[in-house]
Amino acid sequence: MAKITRDEILKIAQLSSLHIEEKDLEIQMEKFNSILEAVDHLSQIDDKTLEGLQKNHPSQTPVREDVTKPCLSVEDVLKNSPSSQPPFFHIPDVIERS
């Protein structure tokens, strides 16, 4: 795996509009390289292993059939609105205009 260089850190800082002190460059290089190593480690995980884990630990989200139901009419939706201009809700200005 390629390590990130000092020049790359400076370029990333420039693109991010960040100022990195010369004394902090080494620390930032170590942090970036640590992240890159972790991502590289994840890319080496065998997909078969992940499939096995999923079978042993079922999802907490219940799986149910997607059933289409009728939706509310525009009139019913706007009925509870304090103010409307059908078919839209009328929302008061939040930012004062000058």
Side-chain angles (χ1 to χ4, degrees):
M1 177 190 70
K3 296 229 178 213
I4 196 161
T5 65
R6 178 184 183 282
D7 291 336
E8 289 170 326
I9 292 288
L10 292 173
K11 181 68 174 173
I12 292 168
Q14 178 188 10
L15 292 172
S16 304
S17 299
L18 298 173
H19 174 72
I20 298 179
E21 298 282 334
E22 188 70 35
K23 62 181 179 160
D24 295 330
L25 277 174
E26 189 66 35
I27 294 168
Q28 294 304 320
M29 285 174 45
E30 289 174 14
K31 287 181 179 182
F32 268 96
N33 285 320
S34 174
I35 292 168
L36 292 175
E37 286 175 23
V39 171
D40 186 49
H41 181 71
L42 289 174
S43 69
Q44 295 173 9
I45 295 176
D46 183 22
D47 292 342
K48 301 277 186 205
T49 304
L50 293 177
E51 289 173 9
L53 288 173
Q54 291 171 347
K55 289 177 185 172
N56 294 333
H57 295 70
S59 171
Q60 298 296 323
T61 306
V63 179
R64 59 180 175 258
E65 188 177 337
D66 189 13
V67 179
T68 307
K69 296 180 181 178
C71 61
L72 296 172
S73 68
V74 173
E75 293 80 23
D76 287 340
V77 171
L78 294 176
K79 186 173 17 178
N80 293 322
S81 172
S83 177
S84 64
Q85 295 171 344
F88 306 105
F89 290 101
H90 176 72
I91 301 171
D93 292 339
V94 177
I95 301 173
E96 295 179 16
R97 296 176 191 231
S98 46

